[in-house]
Structures are given as structure tokens and as C-alpha cells.
Amino acid sequence: MKKVIVHIGSQETGEREIQHTLAINQEFLAENRIIYSGFHPAVENHIKLAYGLLKEALEKTGHLSEFPQLEKSDWNADRVLQEIFAEEGTTYVLSF
């Protein structure tokens, strides 16, 4: 069974430390069947992913033109799901 853990931390609550710790321990986590997303290996948080998911919602409601900074994001729910189900780990972690 697949498990997905989504961590959503607001700014200044230690979210970067959590993301940093997950990122530097990806190998150990993978050995224990826990996958920390490889969306942005060079960037430890998933802000672009969050923007992509927000972009998708705004497109569906017709409000994307109000947020031109999101138009360039290439992340979407389908891409997230593809990565989740492509990995062999039983637990998948996303952190925003």
C-alpha cells in the first residue's frame, strides 16, 4: 500500500529545517522505503510544485490571468502522481 505524507509548514516555523533534513537523508530514507520527492534536488523545498498546483486550480476557475507569475510553472497534479507511483518506496513525503 502506498502512503503519502504531506507536510505543509508556514514560514518561520522550522519548515526549511525539516526539508533540509529530509533532503540530506534521502539515501537513508530510500533504504527504509521512504521516498522524499526528487522534484527539485537543487532546491530543498517544493515551492514551485505548490505554485504548479495552485496554477492548475486557477486555470480551472478562470483566474490564472490574475497571477501572471504562475503561468510559467510546469508542475501539475498529474506530474506529482506520476512520481508518487513511479517510486518503489511504500511511503512518499512531500513538504511545502
Side-chain angles (χ1 to χ4, degrees):
M1 174 194 286
K2 271 290 181 193
K3 291 183 185 177
V4 177
I5 298 171
V6 179
H7 165 258
I8 302 172
S10 59
Q11 293 179 336
E12 306 304 323
T13 60
E15 82 286 354
R16 286 187 183 166
E17 185 61 31
I18 291 169
Q19 293 161 349
H20 175 74
T21 301
L22 289 166
I24 63 173
N25 288 293
Q26 282 180 315
E27 187 175 321
F28 171 79
L29 293 169
E31 290 169 1
N32 290 281
R33 301 182 54 85
I34 300 170
I35 304 301
Y36 179 61
S37 173
F39 284 116
H40 299 286
V43 179
E44 293 167 357
N45 66 40
H46 297 130
I47 194 68
K48 289 184 181 180
L49 171 60
Y51 284 165
L53 297 176
L54 178 58
K55 173 187 170 185
E56 193 171 311
L58 291 170
E59 283 176 331
K60 289 179 182 177
T61 60
H63 294 283
L64 182 60
S65 62
E66 299 171 33
F67 300 90
Q69 68 273 27
L70 297 178
E71 290 181 7
K72 294 181 181 179
S73 179
D74 63 347
W75 295 99
N76 60 48
D78 289 338
R79 190 166 177 185
V80 174
L81 291 172
Q82 285 174 358
E83 183 170 308
I84 288 171
F85 288 105
E87 300 289 350
E88 293 189 19
T90 58
T91 302
Y92 191 86
V93 179
L94 285 169
S95 178
F96 296 91

